[in-house]
Amino acid sequence: MIVQDIESELSYAYLHAVAAKAGMSCKQGDRHDDGAGVDAEINYRGMTSHPYKRHVQVNIQLKATVKNAGSNSDYLSYFMQGVKRYEKLRTDDSDIYKILVVLFLPNDPSSWLSCNPDELILKKAAYWVCLYGAPASSNPTGQTVYLPKTNLLTPDSLNTLVEEAVNKNVSPYKQP
């Protein structure tokens, strides 16, 4: 595999592990889903705060990078290649939320993953953002997006995201 494929697989493994710990299923999308900007879908079936909805689905666009995430104290920055994908993610055209998840990896690929009999460690972390309400891109090659550092993807934050999604109140995009 090339390095970008390994990064991609690690981002999916991160999402899958977090979803499993949160009690949710995580399905990898197929090539048709990928064309719609969906690499994976998270499904939760159980009690929610909504009066009658018990099944929540969130679609995920996965990215991974070793690039510098910037020096802002509140946000991480990620340059998203391809304006077409960015436009799909910022458009609120479905009842199912589309969420961008970016895994920030160390520069040195040999330090990305380590395992021993006591633990499996994937270095650094993934963050999420909903791009609904983001401005149209003026750059034909891509768009820098800003992920709040408060949006660290953990089992607890995924549970909160699902609760927000079932009630249609995921925070729209805020550019610093």
Side-chain angles (χ1 to χ4, degrees):
M1 269 197 266
I2 63 173
V3 171
Q4 289 81 5
D5 291 339
I6 296 168
E7 291 173 359
S8 176
E9 290 297 322
L10 289 173
S11 69
Y12 180 74
Y14 185 106
L15 177 67
H16 192 95
V18 167
K21 177 69 172 130
M24 300 176 199
S25 69
C26 180
K27 293 183 198 174
Q28 193 163 6
D30 60 23
R31 64 185 177 89
H32 301 291
D33 294 328
D34 188 48
V38 177
D39 292 322
E41 70 180 48
I42 299 295
N43 285 283
Y44 173 77
R45 290 176 176 83
M47 295 302 292
T48 69
S49 62
H50 195 277
Y52 59 87
K53 290 185 182 177
R54 299 293 177 250
H55 174 219
V56 186
Q57 180 178 325
V58 178
N59 288 337
I60 306 291
Q61 172 70 57
L62 288 166
K63 298 293 181 189
T65 186
V66 297
K67 295 196 167 110
N68 184 334
S71 59
N72 186 298
S73 62
D74 298 323
Y75 292 88
L76 300 166
S77 63
Y78 173 74
F79 185 76
M80 190 170 185
Q81 296 284 341
V83 174
K84 188 175 170 184
R85 184 71 32 107
Y86 172 77
E87 290 298 326
K88 285 180 183 178
L89 289 173
R90 73 180 202 86
T91 305
D92 180 5
D93 60 356
S94 170
D95 285 336
I96 301 170
Y97 276 94
K98 295 173 283 197
I99 303 295
L100 173 65
V101 172
V102 181
L103 174 62
F104 292 90
L105 292 164
N107 287 329
D108 179 10
S110 68
S111 68
W112 291 352
L113 184 76
S114 62
C115 53
N116 64 52
D118 294 322
E119 58 192 7
L120 171 67
I121 300 171
L122 177 60
K123 293 288 177 104
K124 293 196 101 176
Y127 296 80
W128 68 270
V129 69
C130 178
L131 293 177
Y132 295 177
S137 180
S138 59
N139 183 343
T141 61
Q143 179 67 37
T144 299
V145 296
Y146 298 92
L147 298 101
K149 288 183 178 177
T150 56
N151 288 4
L152 175 66
L153 187 63
T154 66
D156 288 341
S157 72
L158 187 57
N159 277 312
T160 300
L161 177 61
V162 163
E163 275 295 321
E164 291 173 354
V166 77
N167 291 299
K168 300 294 182 201
N169 65 352
V170 173
S171 298
Y173 187 70
K174 292 180 188 148
Q175 193 162 326

